[in-house]
Structures are given as C-alpha cells and as structure tokens.
Amino acid sequence: MAENLLIAEGGKEEKYALLYKQISAVVSAEDDTIANMANIAAMIHATFDFWWTGFYRVVGEELVLGPFQGPLACSRIAYGRGVCGTAWREKTTQVVPDVELFPGHIACSSLSRSEIVVPVWSGEQITAVLDIDSEHLATFDEKDKEWLERIVKLIK
Ligand code: SME
C-alpha cells in the first residue's frame, strides 16, 4: 500500500491535488483522530521531500507532540512559543521562509531552514497544529498554505 501512495510525478499543484484525494479516501474510512494524523503525516512526508512532518496536539496550556515523520522532536511547546505556539495563539497559518529570522523559533533540529505551521480546527477550537519543516530556505508558499489548510479540514 505504501508504494501505491507515493506520488512522485508532477509539480506541487498536481502532487497536492492527488495527495488530497488519497488523504480524503484514507481518512473517510477511519474515525480515530490519532490514526488519521499518523497517516496524513506519512502521506505528506512521502510525497514531498520535507525534513519533518507532524502534529502537535493541544493538551491544556501546551502543545504535545503527536504523530510525525522525521527525526526526534521537542515533546512540548508552550502557548505562544515558537512557530507552533504562535500559529495556535494567532489562530492563523504561519509561513516562515527563514526560521532564523522568526523571533522565538524553537530549533528542534539545526538542519531546519524554513517551516509552515497550520492550525487544525474542531468547530471554534484549535485542537492541534500541523508542522512541516524543510532543510531548504523558503520552501513553503501560498500554495502549500492553501492545500495544507484544506487537508487538515479532513481531520475529524
Ligand atoms: N520549530 C518549531 C518546533 C517544532 S519542530 O520544528 C518539529 C517551532 O518553532 O514551534
């Protein structure tokens, strides 16, 4: 199954369009949020050459590490801290072309150069964030923001 889900052809738009369909299919067959986050992280990570792809869940006053693909990461992030905590506080997607220029960026890995963090909503509440790190500068743009915001809406 994993091989069948690897989307290697096409540009960013084509890859996201196909990825979205695949994620919709996988997620619609399963109700468990953690299972769906795990497969979403795996599918995004396998499609693009990202450094780290995963979720932090809102647990009380903190973000706690959830399903991810990539190297070891920080387990907990306080409200308003780093790019993840800022996305939670500001209730908006954060697109960071150069993490060194983002005040308070939390460097889980010194190899991460750019980042995008997308809030995951359940009704009026943010219940998690999707965090993606790249080893390259300015990897993420409006297209990533648009598609990743659509993808996280699939999480129930
Ligand atoms: N860089 C993030 C921390 C999480 S790791 O990148 C996986 C931040 O500043 O919130």
Side-chain angles (χ1 to χ4, degrees), residues 73-91:
C74 329
S75 300
R76 289 171 187 266
I77 297 173
Y79 181 76
R81 292 282 318 282
V83 186
C84 291
T86 301
W88 181 18
R89 188 188 64 208
E90 300 299 317
K91 300 181 166 59

Side-chain angles (χ1 to χ4, degrees), residues 52 56 73 77 82-84 105-106 108 115 131 133:
W52 195 93
Y56 281 90
I77 297 173
V83 186
C84 291
H105 166 256
I106 301 164
C108 290
E115 184 163 358
D131 179 17
D133 287 42

